[in-house]
Amino acid sequence: MTDCVFCGIASGAIGAEMLAETNEWVAFRDLEPQAPVHVLVVPRAHVSSLAALSEGPLGTQLLLACAAVAGSEGLGGGYRIVTNVGEDGGQAVPHLHFHVLGGRRMGWPPG
């Protein structure tokens, strides 16, 4: 999609502080962090949300990427992975993305 900010970041057309990447996904720092560590893990292919993710290896790759990023960011004491689905779920960008949050104690309930 030409008007999707995460597609632009994944393709390199829009700059971001990349932390890790493969042919399937990219991981970069969130511009408006909600925790001391706030990284987004985004598939390179445009998938609108978790609800639109089809069966296959991509979901597993994204979750393993989240865990790897948490490890590389020193979040061994714990972290949170969040994905929002749809407007009512708080999804602001219609491209599947996982927030990896850590660096402080996470409260509950989250929202």
Side-chain angles (χ1 to χ4, degrees):
M1 292 189 72
T2 59
D3 60 341
C4 174
V5 66
F6 288 165
C7 285
I9 291 170
S11 72
I14 298 173
E17 185 181 347
M18 291 293 182
L19 300 176
E21 59 186 294
T22 68
N23 289 334
E24 289 76 33
W25 55 265
V26 296
F28 54 92
R29 295 208 188 279
D30 194 293
L31 289 177
E32 297 180 16
Q34 302 300 306
V37 175
H38 188 165
V39 176
L40 298 176
V41 175
V42 176
R44 287 188 186 274
H46 185 83
V47 178
S48 61
S49 74
L50 185 62
L53 185 64
S54 60
E55 191 173 323
L58 182 59
T60 299
Q61 292 169 355
L62 291 170
L63 289 175
L64 291 174
C66 290
V69 165
S72 69
E73 291 292 303
L75 300 179
Y79 55 93
R80 180 171 287 164
I81 299 172
V82 176
T83 189
N84 302 316
V85 178
E87 273 187 50
D88 287 347
Q91 186 177 6
V93 178
H95 185 121
L96 175 61
H97 57 286
F98 292 89
H99 301 259
V100 179
L101 302 154
R104 66 168 168 80
R105 185 162 179 79
M106 299 286 133
W108 197 263

